[in-house]
């Protein structure tokens, strides 16, 4: 069987992996992924053949996975969190046009918005927007526009890829856009290394978030106008009526 599973393995801990993801990984002949991700999960799959490549080699990595599957191996192409969201599922399907003999199965995983949101409380109880601040594949003007529209729509906003060495001030710029529409007291939070060693979370306000340095392993949450703090947890109400 020529099978390629594109697997979202969750935030990083074994407990955060779905049984479906574990089953696919256990059955694979080869596990393919970005080095940081294969390093995270290889301790759970010691017997496996692992092929890893550096960041920004997504196309080569996906081609390799498809070729391995075309040769008859069961292959897992792994992504952290979910396999669609800023993951490899879309690219694998795009490139699969040249490999009709390969059957692709997309296996979802718990994305950082939910694993991180759960650590902070329940910031994502209502409509929310997920925006990546990485301008590697998206023009920065479009990112700014999306931030602005999400703020105008009073969405709770989750920011992925909030920072990198080159983009050290992007979170600050995102906060400045948000501050044009949202008050500085808006409840915010961030979680670093979710489900991994040195997990760390903080609750703050939009005014303060602007001054904070975060790294690329951080997910940032910006509340909507109803988001509040209850006993140290962020809560965005669903709006159930109090009978
Ligand atoms: N497919 C992944 C997202 C990949 S984009 C998912 O669904 O979660 C990479 C970004 O995701 C990071 O910059 C960070 O913002 C977020 N992220 C992924 N895993 C994380 C983790 N364990 N802890 C904190 N943030 C994480």
């Amino acid at each position: 069987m020529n099978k390629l599973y594109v697997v979202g393995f969750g935030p990083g801990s074994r407990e955060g992996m779905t049984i479906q993801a574990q089953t696919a990984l256990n059955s694979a002949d080869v596990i393919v992924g970005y080095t940081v991700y294969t390093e995270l999960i290889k301790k759970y799959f010691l017997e496996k053949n692992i092929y890893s490549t550096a960041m920004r080699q997504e196309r080569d990595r996906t081609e390799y996975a498809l070729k391995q599957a075309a040769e008859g191996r069961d292959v897992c192409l792994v992504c952290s969190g979910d396999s669609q969201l800023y993951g490899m599922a879309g690219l694998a399907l795009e490139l699969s046009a040249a490999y009709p003999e390969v059957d692709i199965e997309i296996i979802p995983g718990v994305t950082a918005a939910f694993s991180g949101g759960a650590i902070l409380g329940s910031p994502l109880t209502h409509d929310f927007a997920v925006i990546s601040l990485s301008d590697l594949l998206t023009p920065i003007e479009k990112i700014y526009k999306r931030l602005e529209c999400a703020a105008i729509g009073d969405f709770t906003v989750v920011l992925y890829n909030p920072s990198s060495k080159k983009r050290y001030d992007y979170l600050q710029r995102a906060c400045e856009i948000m501050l044009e529409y949202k008050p500085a007291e808006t409840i915010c939070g961030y979680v670093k290394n979710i489900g991994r060693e040195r997990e760390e979370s903080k609750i703050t306000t939009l005014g303060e978030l602007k001054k904070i340095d975060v790294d690329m392993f951080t997910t940032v949450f910006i509340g909507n106008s109803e988001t509040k703090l209850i006993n140290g947890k962020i809560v965005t109400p669903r709006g159930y009526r109090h009978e």
Side-chain angles (χ1 to χ4, degrees):
M1 194 50 211
N2 306 86
K3 189 103 189 179
L4 172 61
Y5 298 93
V6 190
V7 180
F9 62 73
S13 63
R14 184 159 205 163
E15 297 74 41
M17 237 179 254
T18 64
I19 292 172
Q20 191 187 14
Q22 290 189 45
T23 306
L25 286 158
N26 279 326
S27 74
D29 300 308
V30 194
I31 296 175
V32 180
Y34 166 40
T35 318
V36 171
Y37 298 156
T38 52
E39 282 300 313
L40 264 176
I41 60 163
K42 74 176 185 199
K43 56 180 176 287
Y44 309 129
F45 305 98
L46 291 173
E47 318 281 277
K48 299 291 172 186
N49 222 327
I50 292 186
Y51 177 84
S52 30
T53 65
M55 200 159 68
R56 304 215 200 159
Q57 292 181 2
E58 286 81 6
R59 193 170 263 274
D60 291 351
R61 198 186 306 144
T62 309
E63 286 279 4
Y64 178 85
L66 281 160
K67 280 193 186 119
Q68 289 287 313
E71 286 169 15
R73 297 183 186 89
D74 270 352
V75 185
C76 279
L77 179 59
V78 292
C79 317
S80 80
D82 180 65
S83 49
Q84 291 181 68
L85 190 60
Y86 315 125
M88 308 299 292
L91 183 60
L93 289 168
E94 279 179 62
L95 298 178
S96 72
Y99 299 86
E101 70 277 37
V102 177
D103 182 24
I104 299 194
E105 188 173 328
I106 310 298
I107 300 193
V110 182
T111 188
F114 292 124
S115 52
I119 290 165
L120 295 170
S122 184
L124 306 180
T125 322
H126 212 289
D127 301 343
F128 69 98
V130 174
I131 301 173
S132 165
L133 294 190
S134 168
D135 59 353
L136 278 178
L137 305 170
T138 308
I140 192 71
E141 295 71 32
K142 194 175 226 179
I143 297 174
Y144 290 155
K145 186 85 194 162
R146 287 179 175 166
L147 288 166
E148 193 179 1
C149 289
I152 292 170
D154 194 24
F155 285 92
T156 301
V157 177
V158 187
L159 301 176
Y160 281 57
N161 298 301
S163 178
S164 75
K165 283 197 191 90
K166 278 195 201 140
R167 300 184 287 107
Y168 62 93
D169 64 340
Y170 278 29
L171 178 60
Q172 189 184 339
R173 282 149 76 181
C175 289
E176 278 159 9
I177 295 173
M178 293 276 149
L179 280 164
E180 287 174 32
Y181 303 93
K182 287 171 174 276
E185 304 74 55
T186 304
I187 302 290
C188 294
Y190 59 87
V191 194
K192 194 173 158 175
N193 299 317
I194 305 160
R196 303 179 187 170
E197 271 173 45
R198 293 187 296 279
E199 181 181 277
E200 192 183 313
S201 68
K202 184 162 170 62
I203 295 177
T204 182
T205 61
L206 185 54
E208 290 301 312
L209 184 65
K210 201 183 123 177
K211 304 175 201 157
I212 292 171
D213 276 336
V214 296
D215 64 14
M216 63 184 287
F217 299 108
T218 306
T219 301
V220 175
F221 298 77
I222 301 171
N224 71 15
S225 59
E226 292 179 65
T227 302
K228 52 193 169 189
L229 267 185
I230 298 177
N231 294 336
K233 297 279 183 196
I234 301 184
V235 183
T236 301
R238 174 80 198 279
Y240 295 106
R241 275 183 296 155
H242 293 289
E243 303 292 348

